[in-house]
Amino acid sequence: MNSPRISGIAATLPIPDIDTDTIIPIEYCINRDRPNFDVALFRSWRYLDDGDERPEFLLNTDPYRNTKILVAGANFGCGSSREMAVWALVDFGIKCVIAPSFGEIFYDNCFQNGLLAARVSRSAATTLSQAIEQTIGLTLEVNVSEKTICISKSEIFQFELDNLRSEMLLHDLDPVAATLTQIDAIEGFEKRDRLRRPWVTPH
Amino acid sequence: MPVLTKPKLLFDKIWDSHCVTNLGGGYDLIYIDRHMLHELGSDVAFEMLNQRGQEVRRSDLTFATHDHVISTAPGRKDTTWPDGINYIKKLRENTSRHSIQLFDLHGSQQGIVHVIAPELGLALPGTTLVCGDSHTCSVGAVGTLSWGIGTSDVAHVLATQTLVQLRPSVMRIECAGRLPAGVTAKDLILALIGKLGADAGTGYAIEFCGEAISSLSTEARLTLCNLAIEMGSRIGQVAPDDTTYEGLSGRAFAPTGKDWEQALAHWKSLPSDPGAHANREITFYVDRLKPQITWGTSPAHVVDIDGVVPNPDDVADSLARAGMQKALSYMDLEPGTRLTDVAIDAVFIGSCTNSRISDLRAAADVIKGRKVATGVRAVVVPGSTKTRKQAEAEGLNKVFTAAGFEWRQAGCSMCVALNDDRLDPGQRCVSTSNRNFEGRQGVGGRTHLASPASAAATAIRGYITDHRSTAK
């Protein structure tokens, strides 16, 4: 079992609708292998066209090069289904993304890759962002089992996470293997369905 | 006594009939009737499958095409766009190894997945269809339950023909009234996203209904459902009706004979029952809708085409304001600017949103006998090879090329910018695609989303244009 605890430096990008094209532009998605997607993360925000870093971008400053936890505005990861967006975050070293809402396909992709996407209330996201902005190098403590994010002992926020996804994170579940334990049910469905809807199978 | 059953929504009928087993906690194991693959989204998924030594469970329900990382140049070859060579080749190898039908780059049935799925009769009412592409929601337009998935889930479907899915809630959007002349499904969906927000649909499957939807063609409904994901919903649907059935009849992979009769009987049982309620019901009046244009970097950043760039200071929410300010800076626009005063460098007519024959006809109607403004690059990319040939048979290609448009081969092209169809940094484009995100059409490129008629009128004038103002 993996540790339920994620602890580390938190950065904030308090903007809504950060899309997966922004997280990783499409030209960095092709002809590239894991774990080399880190250089592509927030490519246009992090780098100038000639490849030099933009010094003003948060993740290019210390201590945020070691960011483990990212707090963002609502609808983080909206847009394209590219799983490379999650790979870029993971390859950079991000273990947890916190936002009031997530693009749905991105959200699913996170848990396929051991990345915690923690859904919090808008007010919690705002408070977390402000705390991060006020204290350089602020460390957050996240607990997957307890579904909590702690700034300090007195400032604790709850996040939403269902049991299946928490199990995926804590036990590195292999979803394909898990589904294949249902193979009898799948075969039974196909057998019944062939009689019920013979027109579905193309000829 | 008659058996009383609870009234059900279109979504519930399809979901329930595809539930292999309930997994608890709101999750179901859902059977997948159609799995569409393209060269970009399937590449690593096949690697995952091959690494496990697994076979494709139902290769007869799996179909593939080349659309994303390909050249759209006339006379294109495998090698025309070097970055795509490997992807084109590997999709051929993987589909051949697993006996999957491939609509090859050079074949007559090739095209953008969401264009060919309905065109070939692969997307059918009452079936489930998935693809490793977020705009798979498009084909909900024919009453399919369809959604986009990531690479890991593509591998999951290849191996099991099922997906573990959390059952979404349902939002029903009734579009009341009739769209005014010159106002399209694209304008309707952009206006809805602007009104409701880019994440209003998160957690929901959306059913579009009402008089304005019933009177739309299948192609227009495909445009409408294409942008469900831009409202946050993976699933957009329109109940099948006579328009749907007429459109499907005779398609290459549509059922025939006795199968068609049986399918039709089933399809007619699919529309939401009277008395069935969605978790969220919305009514939107369309009678006074105008053509829409986006000004920012989210599809929700949209205004009437005769409107002005909004002022972030007018918005109370500080995060939304920050997002708007960032968008204005990226788009190099000032609040209060009239959109029709904004000059453009390029026009793109294409993508899974607006590249079907009716879209090309609408654009050609505006362009006929006119010339593209000096200095504007104008590009038309049909959504499928069949669409291209149909358009050529109608002479539309000549209308476009005579006006100064490039007439290209089918593919995703300047919507995904994975080939040389892209903007240069700082260039501004009116595009019929679905995403105006930063860099979507090329690093530093600026995108304004609009309908084909608006895009065509803009190409002619060189400024964002309300096509109704230039009607002949």
Side-chain angles (χ1 to χ4, degrees):
Chain A
M1 181 176 154
N2 298 327
S3 166
R5 291 178 49 175
I6 300 168
S7 161
I9 291 170
T12 180
L13 293 172
I15 301 166
D17 305 318
I18 296 177
D19 57 75
T20 52
D21 280 80
T22 295
I23 298 172
I24 180 168
I26 194 73
E27 60 268 32
Y28 290 91
C29 293
I30 57 169
N31 298 318
R32 184 178 297 275
D33 293 316
R34 299 293 303 278
N36 301 316
F37 287 88
D38 56 330
V39 296
L41 180 68
F42 297 120
R43 184 75 203 185
S44 297
W45 290 0
R46 247 167 97 203
Y47 297 97
L48 297 161
D49 293 346
D50 61 7
D52 285 351
E53 283 188 353
R54 292 181 189 271
E56 74 281 9
F57 187 64
L58 188 67
L59 299 186
N60 288 336
T61 61
D62 287 320
Y64 298 103
R65 291 179 192 276
N66 295 316
T67 296
K68 294 274 179 294
I69 297 168
L70 186 64
V71 180
N75 207 21
F76 184 81
C78 60
S80 152
S81 60
R82 61 188 70 165
E83 202 158 311
M84 299 83 171
V86 176
W87 301 343
L89 288 160
V90 171
D91 289 356
F92 182 85
I94 306 281
K95 308 278 185 207
C96 169
V97 188
I98 300 168
S101 62
F102 293 93
E104 291 186 355
I105 308 176
F106 172 83
Y107 187 76
D108 278 1
N109 289 342
C110 284
F111 294 93
Q112 298 276 5
N113 293 279
L115 177 64
L116 169 62
R119 213 157 32 210
V120 296
S121 67
R122 276 174 199 266
S123 65
T126 305
T127 308
L128 285 164
S129 280
Q130 286 167 351
I132 292 165
E133 281 170 347
Q134 279 159 15
T135 309
I136 292 169
L138 181 74
T139 295
L140 293 179
E141 296 272 347
V142 177
N143 190 303
V144 174
S145 302
E146 293 171 7
K147 300 175 200 170
T148 54
I149 303 161
C150 303
I151 299 179
S152 65
K153 278 181 184 160
S154 60
E155 277 187 293
I156 301 174
F157 301 90
Q158 287 285 317
F159 64 86
E160 281 178 48
L161 186 67
D162 65 45
N163 288 339
L164 181 94
R165 281 170 172 136
S166 129
E167 290 291 299
M168 283 174 86
L169 290 180
L170 293 174
H171 300 287
D172 290 330
L173 280 190
D174 174 348
V176 173
T179 295
L180 288 173
T181 65
Q182 302 278 355
I183 196 69
D184 290 348
I186 296 171
E187 282 175 359
F189 178 93
E190 286 176 331
K191 209 170 155 188
R192 287 192 305 278
D193 196 55
R194 251 195 300 276
L195 300 171
R196 192 169 56 107
R197 299 185 310 156
W199 50 270
V200 171
T201 310
H203 299 296
Chain B
M1 281 225 345
V3 182
L4 293 175
T5 51
K6 193 169 161 258
K8 277 185 166 188
L9 296 164
L10 166 70
F11 167 83
D12 295 314
K13 292 180 191 184
I14 307 179
W15 184 277
D16 292 345
S17 67
H18 286 81
C19 180
V20 172
T21 185
N22 181 282
L23 300 169
Y27 284 90
D28 289 319
L29 187 64
I30 296 294
Y31 197 80
I32 304 303
D33 293 323
R34 293 282 186 276
H35 189 191
M36 303 294 295
L37 303 171
H38 59 83
E39 78 283 17
L40 178 62
S42 66
D43 184 55
V44 178
F46 274 118
E47 267 175 41
M48 292 172 172
L49 190 82
N50 295 342
Q51 268 170 18
R52 303 175 77 106
Q54 232 147 5
E55 293 304 314
V56 174
R57 176 161 181 79
R58 291 296 300 271
S59 53
D60 59 332
L61 302 181
T62 311
F63 299 86
T65 194
H66 296 116
D67 61 0
H68 275 70
V69 206
I70 57 170
S71 169
T72 62
R76 67 184 170 199
K77 299 189 172 59
D78 289 1
T79 51
T80 308
W81 181 244
D83 284 352
I85 295 172
N86 224 5
Y87 286 93
I88 293 167
K89 187 167 145 264
K90 282 205 278 185
L91 186 62
R92 284 194 192 123
E93 286 168 4
N94 281 316
T95 50
S96 163
R97 170 174 171 182
H98 294 284
S99 305
I100 293 165
Q101 181 150 6
L102 169 66
F103 306 116
D104 189 271
L105 179 63
H106 307 298
S108 62
Q109 293 175 313
Q110 177 269 346
I112 306 174
V113 269
H114 319 307
V115 174
I116 65 169
E119 187 176 77
L120 298 177
L122 287 166
L124 298 173
T127 61
T128 51
L129 182 152
V130 296
C131 174
D133 188 286
S134 60
H135 290 109
T136 308
C137 51
S138 312
V139 301
V142 295
T144 308
L145 181 60
S146 62
W147 65 97
I149 55 178
T151 304
S152 298
D153 273 345
V154 171
H156 193 281
V157 179
L158 288 172
T160 71
Q161 204 57 33
T162 64
L163 275 175
V164 176
Q165 289 291 297
L166 189 63
R167 186 184 190 115
S169 303
V170 181
M171 179 191 296
R172 186 158 53 174
I173 303 179
E174 185 203 356
C175 298
R178 286 199 157 245
L179 288 171
V183 180
T184 67
K186 179 66 164 290
D187 303 303
L188 170 57
I189 187 65
L190 283 174
L192 274 168
I193 297 166
K195 185 181 164 70
L196 300 173
D199 65 348
T202 306
Y204 292 94
I206 298 177
E207 180 184 340
F208 299 98
C209 64
E211 187 191 356
I213 306 301
S214 309
S215 56
L216 293 178
S217 68
T218 292
E219 295 196 351
R221 294 174 191 179
L222 286 159
T223 300
L224 180 84
C225 291
N226 178 266
L227 276 93
I229 186 72
E230 312 311 331
M231 208 192 289
S233 177
R234 300 168 86 148
I235 298 170
Q237 285 190 294
V238 174
D241 59 11
D242 288 343
T243 303
T244 318
Y245 313 139
E246 281 159 27
L248 273 171
S249 173
R251 299 280 176 184
F253 291 87
T256 53
K258 219 177 87 190
D259 278 350
W260 173 267
E261 295 305 321
Q262 199 178 343
L264 193 61
H266 177 69
W267 297 344
K268 288 183 173 174
S269 74
L270 291 171
S272 295
D273 297 325
H277 294 291
N279 306 80
R280 191 171 171 202
E281 302 268 6
I282 290 168
T283 302
F284 187 67
Y285 295 91
V286 308
D287 287 311
R288 305 178 71 161
L289 201 65
K290 293 179 178 177
Q292 303 288 300
I293 184 96
T294 64
W295 56 266
T297 55
S298 160
H301 292 160
V302 67
V303 290
D304 292 346
I305 201 159
D306 59 4
V308 299
V309 176
N311 192 334
D313 293 343
D314 298 338
V315 174
D317 180 71
S318 65
L319 282 192
R321 198 160 59 233
M324 287 172 73
Q325 276 156 351
K326 192 158 178 29
L328 285 178
S329 155
Y330 182 83
M331 294 297 288
D332 192 26
L333 289 172
E334 293 292 328
T337 308
R338 294 173 69 88
L339 268 303
T340 50
D341 289 341
V342 175
I344 54 96
D345 306 292
V347 163
F348 170 60
I349 297 172
S351 86
C352 56
T353 314
N354 280 126
S355 64
R356 298 175 182 84
I357 191 70
S358 54
D359 300 315
L360 304 186
R361 287 177 189 147
D365 268 355
V366 174
I367 287 159
K368 199 163 194 167
R370 293 170 167 163
K371 293 276 182 206
V372 171
T374 309
V376 171
R377 181 185 181 198
V379 177
V380 193
V381 182
S384 70
T385 298
K386 272 172 80 84
T387 304
R388 175 173 66 80
K389 289 186 173 159
Q390 166 83 29
E392 287 171 355
E394 295 179 20
L396 301 183
N397 58 320
K398 293 195 175 129
V399 174
F400 285 114
T401 51
F405 272 81
E406 295 172 36
W407 176 252
R408 300 183 73 88
Q409 307 252 315
C412 299
S413 184
M414 211 186 260
C415 175
V416 71
L418 258 178
N419 57 19
D420 45 351
D421 307 346
R422 68 174 77 180
L423 300 177
D424 293 332
Q427 281 193 323
R428 189 182 298 281
C429 178
V430 167
S431 173
T432 66
S433 54
N434 39 46
R435 291 195 171 130
N436 51 350
F437 300 157
E438 285 187 26
R440 174 75 181 186
Q441 294 193 291
V443 177
R446 300 175 177 129
T447 303
H448 297 270
L449 303 174
S451 75
S454 298
T458 298
I460 302 303
R461 198 168 75 93
Y463 290 81
I464 290 172
T465 300
D466 181 347
H467 71 96
R468 299 173 308 171
S469 68
T470 65
K472 285 171 275 193

